[in-house]
Amino acid sequence: MEGMEEIHRHDQHEGNEELQQRTLIQHINDRSLKAVVIGLGYVGLPMAVEMAQAGYQVHGIDIDTAKVAKLNAGNSYVIGIEDDVVQSLMRAGLFTASTDYAAVAQANVIVICVPTPLTAEHQPDISYISAAVDGMTPVLQEGSLVILESTTYPGTTEERVKQPIEAANGWRAGEEFFVCYSPERVDPGSVHYGVKNTPKIIGGSTPACLNYGKQFYGSFLNEVVPVSSTTVAETAKLFENTFRSVNIALVNELTPACEQMGVNIWEVLNAAATKPFGYMPFYPGPGIGGHCIPIDPIYLSWAANRQGSELQFIQLADATNRQMPERVVKRAAELLEQNGVSVRGARVVLAGMAYKKDIDDLRESPALDVFRLLSAAGAEVVFTDPMVPVFRKDDGTMLQSRPAVPELWTGADLVIITTDHSGFDYQEMADHAKLIFDTRNATAGCRGGNIVVLGQPVRPEVKGVREQQEIVAWVGQKEMAVEDSAAHHEGAIDPEKDQGDAHGKS
C-alpha cells in the first residue's frame, strides 16, 4: 500500500508540473504575467523597463523615496533610460513604482536587484538582500518565481533566499514556489550592449525552477544561457569581474616600470591589441571604480576563504588597484615640485569625478580617493565633471562642479584628468593649463608640451608655461633624432607619431 501511495503522489506531482507548465506558457504568451522588481538602480530600472516594453505589467519597489517620486513624475535618473520611455510605460499602465511590498501579493515573478556593497571590515554586505526577502515573504503568493540578480557570493541564493522562504511559508522550492539566480551584466554608458542583447546566465534551485526562469527571460531577451545551479551562476558572475580586476592590476603594476624603462605603455598595449587571438586589452588609470571590479573579487575571495582556500591573485590585484590613487597623488606632488610649486596650497583641478567615461556614477570612484588624498596634503582641490554636478565630501558638505572653461585651467597649478569624459575639450585644456597630468591618455593627439601622461616614459622635468623654451628645445632635439633615423630607414618611422612622448600622444 505504501508503494502505491508513493506512486500516486509522484503521478500527482507530475500532473501538477504539467499544469503549471501549461499555465506558465499561457501567462507568458498573453503577457498576463505580472512582475515586481525590487531595487530600481542601475540594474533594476533597466530590467523593469525591458520587461514593461515587452508587454508585462511591472511594479518597481525601492526604499529610496526620492527615486520613487522621480519615476512617478515621469523622470528617469539612469543614463540610457529616457524620460519619455518612463512616461509612455506609465501611461500604458505597464510600469508603476512605490516603496510598498504589498504589490508582491499580485506578482508572478519577483526580481531582486538590490545593492551588495562591502562592510567597513571589507566583508560582503548582503543586508539589502535579506531585507528584500523579509519584506516580500509574508505576501509572496504560491507559484511565484523569485530571481536574485544582485552580485553576491556563491551560495547566497540557496542560503538567503530559498531557505528563508521555505522556512517561513512551509513551501518547497520547485513545487510551491520557484527560485533562480541570474547575474546582472549591465555596462553603464554602453552604446552597444543593454539588457536585451546581453546573454543572460541563469541557474535554478531545481530543474523546474530553471525551466520557469528560462521561459520567462527567454520571452523578452535575445539569449538565455542556462547553467546547472544557482551557485554556478553566482560564481560565473564573480569570475567575470575578477578576470578584469586581475588584468587591470597587471597593467597598473607594469605602468610605473614602463615609465622608468623609457617605454610608452599605451603604445605597448595598442600594439598588443592587434593580436586577433589569445589577448584582450586592459588599460591603466587612477584606480578602479563602480560596483563590479572593486567589490566582486572580494566576494569570491571571501567565499573561498570560508571553504579554506586562499585566492592570492585576487588579494594582490585588489591591493595593487587600490594603491593607484596614492601613486597618482605622489606623482602629482612630484610634478608640482618640479614646477616650483608645493603641493600644500597648490590649486588643483580634477577633471572628472565619475568612475567611468560618460556616466554619472560615483560608486567607488578613484577620483574620490585622489580628491581626499590631495586635500589631506593641503592642496586646494576643486573639480569639474559634465556628468556629476555635485558630490558630498567626507565632512558632509557639498562640492559643486566648476564650469570647464579656459579660466578654470589657467587658474590651476595642476589639472589632473581622472575621468576621460567626451564632453571635455582637451585641446582647449592643453592650450590654457600650466600643467596637465593625464591618467587616462585622454590627451592623445593634443598639442602642448605641458602634458604628462601616466604610463609614458619619464622625461626631463616637465615645466609649466613659464619655462616652455626648455621643453621646445628638448622636443626639437628629439625631432632631429627622428629625422636622422628616418634618413637611414626611410618609411620606418613617422616623425609626427614619434612626438607622442612630448605631446601626450599614445
Side-chain angles (χ1 to χ4, degrees):
M1 287 293 292
E2 286 184 8
M4 292 295 292
E5 288 176 2
E6 182 65 31
I7 291 172
H8 176 70
R9 282 197 299 269
H10 177 73
D11 290 344
Q12 187 178 39
H13 176 65
E14 284 193 341
N16 288 340
E17 277 194 354
E18 290 178 9
L19 178 61
Q20 286 174 340
Q21 178 70 8
R22 288 197 301 270
T23 304
L24 166 64
I25 293 174
Q26 179 182 337
H27 283 324
I28 288 174
N29 288 339
D30 63 18
R31 294 299 192 259
S32 59
L33 183 151
K34 295 181 180 180
V36 162
V37 176
I38 303 174
L40 297 173
Y42 288 89
V43 175
L45 185 59
M47 176 56 73
V49 166
E50 199 67 52
M51 290 179 192
Q53 288 180 323
Y56 293 113
Q57 277 189 292
V58 183
H59 183 82
I61 299 174
D62 201 289
I63 60 174
D64 188 334
T65 56
K67 285 183 178 178
V68 171
K70 283 184 179 179
L71 290 172
N72 286 327
N75 299 318
S76 170
Y77 43 81
V78 173
I79 292 176
I81 306 294
E82 302 300 327
D83 292 350
D84 59 350
V85 172
V86 175
Q87 293 162 12
S88 65
L89 291 173
M90 285 188 158
R91 284 195 300 269
L94 294 173
F95 180 67
T96 53
S98 74
T99 59
D100 191 353
Y101 280 92
V104 172
Q106 308 301 319
N108 307 101
V109 176
I110 299 90
V111 182
I112 303 173
C113 302
V114 295
T116 46
L118 294 174
T119 66
E121 293 76 31
H122 223 48
Q123 301 290 310
D125 179 2
I126 57 167
S127 60
Y128 293 97
I129 294 176
S130 296
V133 173
D134 290 345
M136 61 179 276
T137 299
V139 291
L140 188 67
Q141 66 173 329
E142 192 169 337
S144 296
L145 168 64
V146 179
I147 306 174
L148 178 62
E149 288 209 359
S150 306
T151 301
T152 188
Y153 62 83
T156 303
T157 305
E158 302 301 307
E159 297 170 9
R160 300 304 182 101
V161 179
K162 178 178 83 74
Q163 292 174 12
I165 294 174
E166 287 181 330
N169 295 344
W171 296 343
R172 289 186 63 183
E175 296 182 10
E176 288 85 9
F177 78 116
F178 304 87
V179 179
C180 289
Y181 180 78
S182 182
E184 58 87 5
R185 279 174 159 177
V186 174
D187 185 12
S190 174
V191 296
H192 302 292
Y193 295 103
V195 174
K196 188 174 182 64
N197 68 343
T198 300
K200 197 84 171 88
I201 293 174
I202 188 166
S205 289
T206 69
C209 295
L210 177 59
N211 182 61
Y212 196 162
K214 280 168 50 184
Q215 295 278 359
F216 174 62
Y217 277 141
S219 70
F220 65 96
L221 301 179
N222 290 357
E223 182 180 358
V224 177
V225 183
V227 295
S228 61
S229 68
T230 58
T231 307
V232 169
E234 290 162 339
T235 310
K237 167 62 178 178
L238 295 180
F239 181 74
E240 291 172 10
N241 288 321
T242 299
F243 171 83
R244 296 164 67 196
S245 174
V246 169
N247 280 281
I248 291 170
L250 175 62
V251 173
N252 280 335
E253 186 174 50
L254 185 61
T255 295
C258 282
E259 291 175 347
Q260 295 302 321
M261 290 188 295
V263 175
N264 185 334
I265 195 168
W266 300 96
E267 186 177 2
V268 169
L269 297 174
N270 289 337
T274 63
K275 185 179 181 180
F277 54 90
Y279 180 80
M280 180 181 293
F282 293 87
Y283 299 98
I288 51 176
H291 176 276
C292 294
I293 301 176
I295 294 176
D296 293 3
I298 305 304
Y299 272 68
L300 183 56
S301 180
W302 180 87
N305 287 338
R306 196 168 64 149
Q307 302 301 322
S309 297
E310 185 178 7
L311 303 182
Q312 296 181 3
F313 267 15
I314 291 178
Q315 295 170 13
L316 179 59
D318 181 61
T320 299
N321 288 329
R322 290 183 185 278
Q323 288 173 359
M324 287 308 295
E326 293 181 15
R327 286 187 184 179
V328 166
V329 170
K330 181 181 178 182
R331 185 80 186 280
E334 291 171 352
L335 293 172
L336 283 166
E337 288 173 5
Q338 290 171 9
N339 213 38
V341 179
S342 170
V343 68
R344 181 168 296 278
R347 295 164 297 180
V348 180
V349 173
L350 298 188
M353 291 303 294
Y355 84 85
K356 182 182 175 183
K357 177 180 181 178
D358 295 343
I359 67 169
D360 60 355
D361 195 345
L362 287 173
R363 290 178 300 171
E364 306 291 327
S365 175
L368 296 173
D369 288 326
V370 173
F371 184 95
R372 293 185 189 108
L373 291 167
L374 283 169
S375 298
E380 297 177 12
V381 192
V382 297
F383 84 99
T384 179
D385 192 312
M387 309 298 295
V388 180
V390 65
F391 83 93
R392 187 184 300 277
K393 296 195 294 183
D394 291 341
D395 62 7
T397 60
M398 306 300 288
L399 190 66
Q400 301 225 346
S401 174
R402 301 290 184 89
V405 295
E407 291 77 14
L408 181 66
W409 316 131
T410 303
D413 295 306
L414 175 64
V415 176
I416 305 178
I417 300 173
T418 38
T419 314
D420 50 336
H421 288 307
S422 300
F424 288 131
D425 185 334
Y426 293 105
Q427 186 56 62
E428 180 181 82
M429 187 188 298
D431 289 341
H432 293 88
K434 297 181 180 72
L435 182 62
I436 296 173
F437 181 26
D438 180 0
T439 70
R440 300 284 191 173
N441 200 30
T443 55
C446 289
R447 302 177 306 279
N450 54 343
I451 303 170
V452 176
V453 181
L454 178 72
Q456 287 195 350
V458 175
R459 64 184 194 230
E461 293 185 358
V462 176
K463 303 298 183 179
V465 172
R466 293 167 294 181
E467 297 177 80
Q468 285 294 302
Q469 290 181 346
E470 292 181 14
I471 293 179
V472 170
W474 180 74
V475 173
Q477 291 172 2
K478 202 172 179 196
E479 289 176 341
M480 289 175 64
V482 170
E483 290 171 359
D484 290 343
S485 176
H488 289 90
H489 304 281
E490 187 175 354
I493 298 177
D494 181 348
E496 287 298 314
K497 289 182 181 177
D498 194 54
Q499 293 176 23
D501 294 343
H503 297 297
K505 294 181 182 179
S506 62

